[in-house]
Amino acid sequence: MGLSTKHIFITGGVTSSLGKGIIAASLAKLLQSRGISVTIQKFDPYLNIDPGTLNPYEHGECYVTEDGAETDLDLGHYERFLNAATSQDNNVTTGRIYNNVITKERKGEFLGKTVQVVPHITDEIKNNFYKLGKDGKYDVIITEIGGCVGDIESLPFVEAVRQARWDLGPNNILVIHLTLIPYLSAAKELKTKPTQHSVKQLLEAGVQPDILVCRTEHHLPVDVKKKIALFCNVQLNCVIEAMDADSIYDVPLLMKKERLDERVLSKLKISSKTNTELEQWKDFLGKLKNPTMEVDIALIGKYVSLPDAYKSIIESFIHAGTSLECKVNLHLISSEEVNKDNVAKKLTDMDGVLVAPGFGIRGLDGKLEAAKFARENEVPYFGICLGMQIAVIEFARNVLGLSEASSTEINPDCKDPVIFLMAEQKDITQMGGTMRLGAYPCELVKGTKALAAYGKQKVTERHRHRYEFNNKYLKEFEKHGMIASGKNPDKGLVEIIELKEHPWFVGTQFHPEYKSTVLNPHPLFVRFIKAVGEYKQNKS
Ligand code: GLN
């Protein structure tokens, strides 16, 4: 295209949770379909260096990139929509910014100057805004600013956006503000005032939004749009309606209908070369909305009160299920509510069981019971990370007769540590960013379900864990029918286990859910759902 990278900033106002990540991903998808190379980055206003240490109850899932960054879950949306990888540089927090600045200060790099929010913090923010654009790989970078305008925390980011206008110059930067138009049912009216106020807040910070994307439950009549345009100082055709959608995957097409991409291209003076009709995307949506079968799968985990904690797994089921024209009804069941006496009752209507990733001891027994139930009753089972470790412990206890088998995460002094701390983890004292993180190769064994799913012998998958299968016990496991069907070729670590004599009982030490996208559903999820469908058919 021969142009330097252009920047789109997306801010949010009125309330949080308006779906900036989905709007960013949808816009990126539309630009991508026009032959424009685009990536998305997220700037989060909290002080943690990264979300790796955040409780999933509070913040939802921690998403892991190929290069091993622990990131905000919005990066998962970016990858799922764009079918392209993100990296450490795509997620920056206030904590990281301050850490960088303070490290420089300690090195004496500021040459005796007083280090201040403006310009030092804002300079560091801007360096990070521009970083991904350095090698000319992207025509457009979309930057999502986390939080709401007006929050104390977001101020330096908004100030950096204001300054970026001067760095980048006209036609190279665009600010999209996502806002809410609430509907007062008593008055039967859509209200624009909160939007006016939130735009005022941006204006006070010196930032005039170019486009307003207005979340709403009702269509915006022209007079409402006119009012918003007038009071917020934007062109009428730049007031974009964003109606609530049935599925997040509808949003790119809704935004296309509203011509968001056209407005963006015209404002940034970009002429797109192609304009593909998003055929594959539409095909996906068609199947998503017209399933020919449905199955019920239990997801057993301890963070079920906040489904966002399992975002990537939930989306992976949508991708894989849709590819099979199968609606997956996912039942989130708290592992703390499952026990020996009620497990059969809780799982009896389920066609498959997934034991989720997790940390710590809470809810462990429920997970073990669920794995046992699935193993003994030939119910398809998929264990991810901790879910794989659980399957191993359960098998050791109840099949190998090692009644005290456990993971050293749960009991550091257990007699049979079938899951134990990886050698490289032993001396680690700092918690943040020190797990086994990111993509590692895995080699699959011939004749296994894992190989049948992937259809190739060498794969790479993303990890996030400290503990691993203890190879000392492998022979014993294999003798009794639980085999290692995937191993790390360099270190021999067991990455996938499966039961030989079971229709589909597979556990992965890695997280397949991080690699599932709309256009590339993950083969293990596809195979699992297939097995679940077959189980359901045989049941009836
Ligand atoms: N707690 C386990 C470990 O650290 C599993 C982690 C996970 O499920 N992501 O190995």
Side-chain angles (χ1 to χ4, degrees), residues 339-354:
N339 57 46
K340 203 170 160 198
D341 301 325
N342 69 11
V343 63
K345 190 160 174 272
K346 285 226 182 254
L347 297 182
T348 185
D349 292 333
M350 297 294 137
D351 309 314
V353 174
L354 181 140

Side-chain angles (χ1 to χ4, degrees), residues 322-433:
T322 301
S323 76
L324 298 168
E325 295 181 24
C326 176
K327 178 166 188 256
V328 176
N329 302 315
L330 202 56
H331 303 260
L332 270 52
I333 299 176
S334 164
S335 44
E336 288 172 273
E337 282 166 21
V338 180
N339 57 46
K340 203 170 160 198
D341 301 325
N342 69 11
V343 63
K345 190 160 174 272
K346 285 226 182 254
L347 297 182
T348 185
D349 292 333
M350 297 294 137
D351 309 314
V353 174
L354 181 140
V355 173
F359 295 84
I361 188 166
R362 208 147 44 79
L364 185 81
D365 290 343
K367 290 180 189 168
L368 286 167
E369 289 302 334
K372 181 166 187 263
F373 180 86
R375 179 176 59 77
E376 290 180 342
N377 296 285
E378 304 209 328
V379 180
Y381 177 91
F382 195 5
I384 299 182
C385 209
L386 181 64
M388 171 260 194
Q389 299 174 354
I390 292 287
V392 166
I393 297 168
E394 189 280 315
F395 194 82
R397 287 186 187 174
N398 299 318
V399 179
L400 305 186
L402 306 172
S403 59
E404 290 176 52
S406 194
S407 155
T408 53
E409 178 181 15
I410 295 149
N411 176 5
D413 307 314
C414 64
K415 193 164 148 218
D416 286 297
V418 288
I419 302 291
F420 70 163
L421 199 60
M422 296 194 300
E424 68 230 46
Q425 290 285 329
K426 294 218 162 95
D427 298 320
I428 285 173
T429 49
Q430 288 224 16
M431 298 313 276

Side-chain angles (χ1 to χ4, degrees), residues 144-160:
E144 178 190 346
I145 306 286
C148 259
V149 299
D151 292 352
I152 293 175
E153 284 96 345
S154 335
L155 271 176
F157 289 136
V158 176
E159 165 61 14

